[in-house]
Amino acid sequence: MVAFNVRPDIDAAAAKLKSTMGSKREIERLPEVLWEGETVEMLATGVYGKGNGLVAMTDKRLIFLKHGIMSQQVEDFPYARISSVQWSGGMLMGTLQVFASGNKAEIKQMPKDVGKDLADALRARLAGVTPGAPPATPAGGPAPAGGQDVASRLATLDGLRSQGLVTEEEYAQRRTQILDSL
C-alpha cells in the first residue's frame, strides 16, 4: 500500500482501501476541497458521470472528487440534503445511489466490500446513530408514518446491528422506538 502523507485522517482512510489505483491524484488533492475542520472518515473509489474518482465520507458530507489532467469534478452531498441511500452489489463491484434534494446520483463500479461498508455507515449517519453512543430520541415532531417507512427503518437498524455499529441494548431501544411510532 502506498503511503500518502497527506493528512492523518485521509491517510488512515486511504490505508483501508485495498487498491488506490486510479485515485491517487484525488487522494492527494482531497484537502483542497475539504471545509475547514472537516474530517475524512471513509474513502472508496467509483465512477460517477464520466469519470473514475474518489468518494469521501466526511463528518459533514459525502464528496465525489475526480481530478484529471484535463478536467476536475467535485460534487458534494451535505447530509441534511440526503433523503436516502441504496446499495446494490454484484460479484465484485456495486452501485451506490444517493437520493438528495429530489435528485439521484449513482456512483458505479465501487468495490463491493468498501461500497457496502460506506453505504451502511452513511445510513447510520442519516439515522443519527453514532457507534458507541446512545440512540437519539425523537425531537418531539410527528413520527414518520407508513408501513414501508417502518419496515425500511427496521431493516436499516438490523443492518447496523449486524455490522456491529449498535449494541444489543441500543438495538432493542431503537427497535422499540420505531415500533412505538406506529
Side-chain angles (χ1 to χ4, degrees), residues 78-176:
Y79 297 132
R81 297 186 187 240
I82 297 176
S83 57
S84 67
V85 176
Q86 287 183 341
W87 170 255
S88 56
M91 293 274 292
L92 299 174
M93 300 289 189
T95 300
L96 177 69
Q97 294 180 346
V98 179
F99 296 87
S101 301
N103 295 316
K104 176 176 83 168
E106 286 188 343
I107 304 169
K108 301 177 180 182
Q109 297 299 311
M110 294 182 77
K112 184 178 177 180
D113 54 346
V114 176
K116 182 177 181 332
D117 289 347
L118 191 136
D120 289 343
L122 189 52
R123 282 189 196 102
R125 169 145 337 256
L126 296 176
V129 177
T130 303
T137 55
Q148 178 136 19
D149 184 49
V150 170
S152 67
R153 290 171 65 202
L154 288 171
T156 299
L157 183 62
D158 286 340
L160 294 172
R161 181 177 68 169
S162 69
Q163 292 289 314
L165 296 174
V166 295
T167 65
E168 288 297 321
E169 181 181 315
E170 292 168 333
Y171 171 82
Q173 290 173 343
R174 181 67 83 157
R175 187 171 191 283
T176 300

Side-chain angles (χ1 to χ4, degrees), residues 30 33-35 38-44 48 54-65 74-82 84-86 96-100 105-107 110 114-115 117-119 121-123 125-126:
L30 187 55
V33 300
L34 294 175
W35 296 336
E38 189 171 21
T39 304
V40 173
E41 297 174 348
M42 291 183 78
L43 295 175
Y48 180 64
L54 184 70
V55 180
M57 182 176 165
T58 75
D59 58 336
K60 301 187 185 324
R61 59 193 170 138
L62 187 69
I63 303 168
F64 179 82
L65 172 63
V74 176
E75 185 147 358
D76 71 338
F77 307 93
Y79 297 132
R81 297 186 187 240
I82 297 176
S84 67
V85 176
Q86 287 183 341
L96 177 69
Q97 294 180 346
V98 179
F99 296 87
E106 286 188 343
I107 304 169
M110 294 182 77
V114 176
D117 289 347
L118 191 136
L122 189 52
R123 282 189 196 102
R125 169 145 337 256
L126 296 176

